Amino acid sequence: MTQATDWTTYFSEIKLKLGARANGFQKIFDHLNGVQNPIIIETGTYREENNYTGDGCSTLLFDTYVSCHGGQLISIDIDPEACELAAASTGNNTEVIESDSVEFLGTLEGRCDLLYLDSYNISDWNNDWAPAAHHLKELFAAKNIINPGTLIIVDDNITSPQGQRLGKGRLIHELMESLGIPCFIDAYQVGWVWEELQ
């Protein structure tokens, strides 16, 4: 494993490989630039080497970011093989946890600057209930680490030709809309900056 020392150069090269996630990750890291030593928690870890276009490789991106800027990444996955690959591919600022994500998130307290939800594979865009419900469960399980200013991102979302929102973040989007919290990112990745509710 080779750690990058210059984030700007690293990300400008990797961004070309990120496809539909490129602009979303740009907004995520622009946001994190305003946070000192950010705490990043992601569900779903690195599972296929260098598959930036397909998977996004968020674990590698976040690991490199905290290695260059300070901070910590906690990456959670229930798959032991994915955890083994992730642990072997990341540095000292990253902790890989083999666990059910909902169960583990429910044990956490304190601060989280970025909560990145990407743990449930979606295979049928027209049948997104299971992954969308899983990510809603993750959001509620993480309630003790979500504070004003926490950036919440859900990967893998599309809009159908009929204009219907589909994907992992669909139910969270409906929740945030009902709470009046505007989208920070609304593309293949969807996200919100948490606000205190009035």
Side-chain angles (χ1 to χ4, degrees), residues 74-137:
I74 299 172
S75 185
I76 309 153
D77 203 295
I78 201 167
D79 181 349
E81 290 184 6
C83 288
E84 185 177 344
L85 176 63
S89 305
T90 53
N92 294 332
N93 294 51
T94 294
E95 182 178 7
V96 179
I97 304 290
E98 183 185 333
S99 176
D100 176 272
S101 58
V102 175
E103 290 179 10
F104 185 78
L105 288 169
T107 70
L108 298 178
E109 295 186 6
R111 175 179 145 215
C112 174
D113 300 298
L114 169 60
L115 179 64
Y116 192 87
L117 305 178
D118 187 22
S119 63
Y120 197 117
N121 292 335
I122 185 164
S123 56
D124 180 359
W125 291 102
N126 294 308
N127 186 16
D128 62 4
W129 278 103
H134 178 78
H135 290 293
L136 186 62
K137 291 176 190 175

Side-chain angles (χ1 to χ4, degrees), residues 122-195:
I122 185 164
S123 56
D124 180 359
W125 291 102
N126 294 308
N127 186 16
D128 62 4
W129 278 103
H134 178 78
H135 290 293
L136 186 62
K137 291 176 190 175
E138 288 181 333
L139 180 71
F140 277 87
K143 66 185 184 305
N144 291 331
I145 56 170
I146 296 173
N147 301 294
T150 298
L151 179 57
I152 301 163
I153 303 288
V154 189
D155 195 26
D156 297 315
N157 302 273
I158 61 171
T159 302
S160 74
Q162 295 76 33
Q164 181 183 3
R165 184 177 294 276
L166 302 169
K168 296 179 181 181
R170 180 174 58 82
L171 295 177
I172 295 179
H173 186 277
E174 291 176 10
L175 172 66
M176 294 296 188
E177 195 170 46
S178 71
L179 297 175
I181 298 177
C183 277
F184 177 77
I185 298 171
D186 191 3
Y188 195 76
Q189 296 154 313
V190 293
W192 308 263
V193 178
W194 183 253
E195 302 172 4

Side-chain angles (χ1 to χ4, degrees), residues 18-35:
L18 293 174
R21 296 180 180 89
N23 291 334
F25 274 124
Q26 181 70 65
K27 288 195 76 169
I28 290 168
F29 292 119
D30 287 347
H31 178 84
L32 289 178
N33 286 340
V35 180

